[in-house]
């Protein structure tokens, strides 16, 4: 049996748009789920209708801010609703995007994402998880948050990956109905090279006329874990381009 009909939660988001594109390009039927399409995975509005005839859900819906408590509540509700409505609709499985190093997190958004994994895994439907490195697209968002001509960006190690690359890998996982062998590590996807967030921001800042200064990032949640490489890919991770510089060269 192959899976052909997908619903994408968070379909209009940074990653969701790419997931919808990849599914469509590969000839799958896609129901995009977001408040913009009249489906609210938190209130349940439109969810039963959206999942009618759906074989698998890809969950890339995310909370828009870094507040741990609010994000945790969002993920708690979305996980419950996707399982409940999905089971009623006869959905075969849920695939979700998570974050590399999430199992080590103790604070902030990544800790909320850790709870999200646990909640989805504890539900009635089979769940496949892909843990991704921070996105290339996130660097611009960090610069947007800072005002003025100088931006202070944490010089914490990362292995940035393109959203499109994550979407392709997540769709591969979502279309695989074979349960992973016991003891198989949760798959990871990261970019081809290790760099710091500040180094990547300097490349983008040069284009925007913003001076980027690297700082130690000690005010960030779990900064010490990050500084020690806790959010870098494991040895079993899939590494795939483009690099941040290659990706930046393709941006308008």
């Amino acid at each position: 049996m192959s899976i052909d009909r997908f619903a994408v939660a968070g379909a209009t988001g940074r990653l969701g748009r790419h997931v919808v594109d990849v599914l469509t390009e590969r000839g799958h039927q896609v129901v995009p789920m977001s408040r913009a399409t009249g489906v609210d995975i938190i209130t349940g509005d439109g969810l039963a209708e959206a999942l009618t005839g759906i074989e698998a859900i890809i969950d890339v819906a995310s909370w828009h801010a870094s507040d741990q408590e609010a994000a945790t509540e969002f993920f708690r509700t979305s996980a419950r609703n996707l399982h409940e409505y999905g089971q009623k609709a006869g959905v075969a499985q849920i695939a979700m995007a998570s974050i590399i190093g999430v199992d080590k997190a103790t604070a902030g958004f990544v800790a909320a994402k850790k709870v999200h994994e646990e909640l989805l895994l504890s539900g009635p439907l089979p769940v496949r998880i892909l843990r991704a490195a921070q996105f290339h697209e996130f660097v611009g968002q960090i610069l947007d948050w800072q005002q003025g001509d100088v931006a202070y960006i944490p010089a914490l190690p990362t292995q940035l990956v393109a959203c499109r690359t994550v979407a392709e890998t997540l769709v591969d996982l979502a279309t695989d109905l074979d349960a992973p062998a016991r003891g198989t590590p949760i798959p990871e996807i990261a970019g081809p090279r290790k760099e710091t967030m500040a180094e990547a921001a300097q490349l983008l800042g040069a284009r925007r006329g913003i001076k980027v200064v690297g700082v130690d990032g000690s005010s960030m949640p779990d900064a010490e874990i990050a500084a020690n490489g806790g959010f870098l890919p494991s040895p079993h991770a899939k590494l795939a381009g483009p690099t941040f510089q290659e990706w930046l060269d393709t941006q308008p």
Side-chain angles (χ1 to χ4, degrees):
M1 171 190 162
S2 63
I3 300 181
D4 188 48
R5 294 191 299 279
F6 290 85
V8 179
T12 53
R14 188 187 288 131
L15 178 56
R17 289 193 293 267
H18 288 279
V19 171
V20 170
D21 285 348
V22 172
L23 287 167
T24 304
E25 287 165 18
R26 293 185 185 180
H28 297 292
Q29 295 175 40
V30 189
V31 174
M33 299 196 301
S34 70
R35 282 182 301 198
T37 65
V39 184
D40 193 321
I41 62 172
I42 299 302
T43 64
D45 288 349
L47 190 51
E49 294 82 357
L51 292 178
T52 302
I54 291 298
E55 294 165 309
I57 296 168
I58 298 182
D59 181 12
V60 287
S62 192
W63 182 246
H64 55 76
S66 58
D67 178 66
Q68 182 179 347
E69 201 172 316
T72 302
E73 193 50 42
F74 174 87
F75 291 134
R76 180 174 284 117
T77 306
S78 69
R80 184 180 65 232
N81 285 343
L82 290 178
H83 271 293
E84 184 183 316
Y85 286 83
Q87 192 178 28
K88 285 178 186 167
V91 166
Q93 70 178 12
I94 299 172
M96 61 107 53
S98 188
I99 301 168
I100 287 176
V102 70
D103 47 321
K104 305 179 188 80
T106 66
F109 180 82
V110 186
K113 200 68 186 168
K114 178 182 184 178
V115 175
H116 188 206
E117 279 193 10
E118 292 164 356
L119 291 166
L120 272 179
L121 287 171
S122 65
L125 295 173
V127 170
R128 306 295 294 270
I129 295 172
L130 175 67
R131 289 177 178 165
Q134 193 56 264
F135 304 147
H136 291 335
E137 287 81 351
F138 183 61
V139 180
Q141 188 177 333
I142 294 180
L143 285 183
D144 291 341
W145 288 338
Q146 304 221 9
Q147 304 298 316
D149 300 330
V150 181
Y152 298 92
I153 306 294
L156 294 171
T158 182
Q159 202 148 324
L160 295 163
V161 67
C163 274
R164 169 75 191 200
T165 303
V166 176
E168 289 169 353
T169 311
L170 184 58
V171 169
D172 290 343
L173 192 69
T175 50
D176 181 6
L177 272 174
D178 296 328
R182 187 178 294 278
T184 304
I186 290 174
E188 296 179 2
I189 177 75
R193 64 184 296 263
K194 180 181 165 185
E195 57 204 321
T196 69
M197 193 59 82
E199 286 166 346
Q202 282 163 354
L203 293 172
L204 180 56
R207 284 183 59 159
R208 292 189 180 182
I210 297 169
K211 182 183 180 185
V212 173
V213 177
V215 294
D216 70 359
S218 56
S219 60
M220 305 268 294
D222 289 333
E224 195 173 331
I225 295 172
N228 291 328
F231 300 114
L232 291 173
S234 306
H236 72 267
K238 174 185 173 184
L239 306 182
T243 64
F244 184 74
Q245 179 69 70
E246 288 165 347
W247 172 83
L248 195 57
D249 290 342
T250 68
Q251 299 304 300

